[in-house]
Amino acid sequence: MNSLRIFLLFALFSISLSHEPFNSHLLPRPLILEYPQESSEEIQLECTSWRFGVEANNLGPWKTIPVACAEYVKEYMTGRAYEIDLGRVANEAAIYARSVELSEDGNDVWVFDVDETLLSNLPYYAEHGYGLEVFDEMEFAKWVEKATAPAIGSSLKLYEVVQSLGFKTFLLTGRSENQRSVTVENLINAGFQNWDKLILRGSNDHGKQATVYKSEKRSEMVKEGYRIVGNSGDQWSDLLGSEMSLRSFKLPNPMYYIP
């Protein structure tokens, strides 16, 4: 700032000493900085990069999607891209399942998460900005009570393939035990049948991070003599921790993060 003042004084002093008539146009012009608006293409690239970070588990904990990516996430979740990505995961999981030589004791297990893995909560999230709003547990509980979440089609096909091959199917969800009846109703209405176990959070599980809770439940499975051969979930907390599956399959979900 001092340098600018000295420059202005020097310019005025030089003009006053010159023999040329005073010309205001010779005075230094103010510096105007213009910041270009990000183009729609740039926003698309930034949001695609952000979503990649989500799916690769490269981001730190986050509570909402970036405001600038609201339209991007909406278009992804309601368009063909999400459907294609879901199909890709299910197809690869089915190829793997068919390659497994199951043991004769019947203790080979495939674990499925429920929300955004078997059941889609898109109707709920469509009313809540596709992840733009901070998660409201009470509002989501009201949605769960309706028991109307549709099946994720590709996951239903995988579920049926896994069962036909002879795997035991264990459903391991972060839902509360007091939501068991509506969860059973919703699953059956959506086409999921004949699972071997449906595990929900009991009173001792509340407050635990999902990674801890699900690791503990998988450890109990292993102690009971089961082998976790496959695991499907939309959150890394469904898949990571102790007693991980031989193969895990991450479904896409850029709407929310559960640690």
Side-chain angles (χ1 to χ4, degrees), residues 69-254:
C69 297
E71 190 62 26
Y72 171 88
V73 173
K74 175 184 176 181
E75 290 180 0
Y76 172 76
M77 294 301 299
T78 59
R80 282 280 294 146
Y82 178 55
E83 184 180 343
I84 290 171
D85 288 347
L86 288 171
R88 177 80 62 186
V89 177
N91 288 341
E92 292 300 321
I95 290 171
Y96 164 69
R98 293 187 179 98
S99 74
V100 175
E101 186 175 344
L102 299 182
S103 300
E104 295 181 358
D105 60 10
N107 284 345
D108 294 308
V109 170
W110 197 290
V111 177
F112 288 94
D113 172 52
V114 172
D115 293 302
E116 267 59 67
T117 299
L118 297 182
L119 298 177
S120 171
N121 296 301
L122 268 180
Y124 171 82
Y125 283 101
E127 300 295 323
H128 296 274
Y130 296 93
L132 195 58
E133 297 179 14
V134 175
F135 179 73
D136 188 321
E137 186 174 354
M138 298 301 294
E139 285 298 311
F140 186 71
K142 293 177 185 177
W143 158 255
V144 169
E145 288 297 320
K146 295 178 180 180
T148 56
I152 292 176
S154 54
S155 292
L156 179 55
K157 290 178 182 178
L158 172 63
Y159 180 89
E160 292 170 345
V161 166
V162 164
Q163 286 192 327
S164 70
L165 291 171
F167 287 90
K168 279 188 164 53
T169 47
F170 289 1
L171 313 188
L172 176 54
T173 174
R175 293 187 180 192
S176 175
E177 183 63 43
N178 61 22
Q179 296 171 320
R180 177 176 291 274
S181 61
V182 293
T183 301
V184 168
E185 177 187 351
N186 198 159
L187 285 165
I188 291 174
N189 289 342
F192 297 96
Q193 307 281 341
N194 303 320
W195 55 81
D196 294 282
K197 285 190 179 185
L198 172 59
I199 304 167
L200 303 96
R201 282 184 186 262
S203 57
N204 294 330
D205 299 316
H206 291 289
K208 295 178 181 177
Q209 286 195 334
T211 306
V212 174
Y213 157 66
K214 295 202 170 185
S215 291
E216 290 177 352
K217 296 306 177 184
R218 290 196 302 269
S219 294
E220 291 175 11
M221 297 175 197
V222 172
K223 288 178 182 178
E224 292 170 4
Y226 296 107
R227 291 175 296 278
I228 305 173
V229 181
N231 189 1
S232 297
D234 68 293
Q235 299 289 316
W236 283 102
S237 52
D238 298 330
L239 311 174
L240 300 179
S242 59
E243 302 299 348
M244 291 171 58
S245 173
L246 293 180
R247 281 288 304 275
S248 296
F249 296 88
K250 168 72 170 65
L251 283 73
N253 183 359

Side-chain angles (χ1 to χ4, degrees), residues 7-41:
F7 174 77
L8 288 172
L9 287 173
F10 178 77
L12 289 170
F13 181 72
S14 300
I15 292 170
S16 66
L17 292 180
S18 71
H19 299 290
E20 299 293 330
F22 176 76
N23 186 347
S24 62
H25 294 290
L26 295 176
L27 291 174
R29 302 299 179 89
L31 180 63
I32 300 175
L33 297 178
E34 295 185 2
Y35 296 94
Q37 295 290 324
E38 280 193 306
S39 67
S40 58
E41 181 182 0

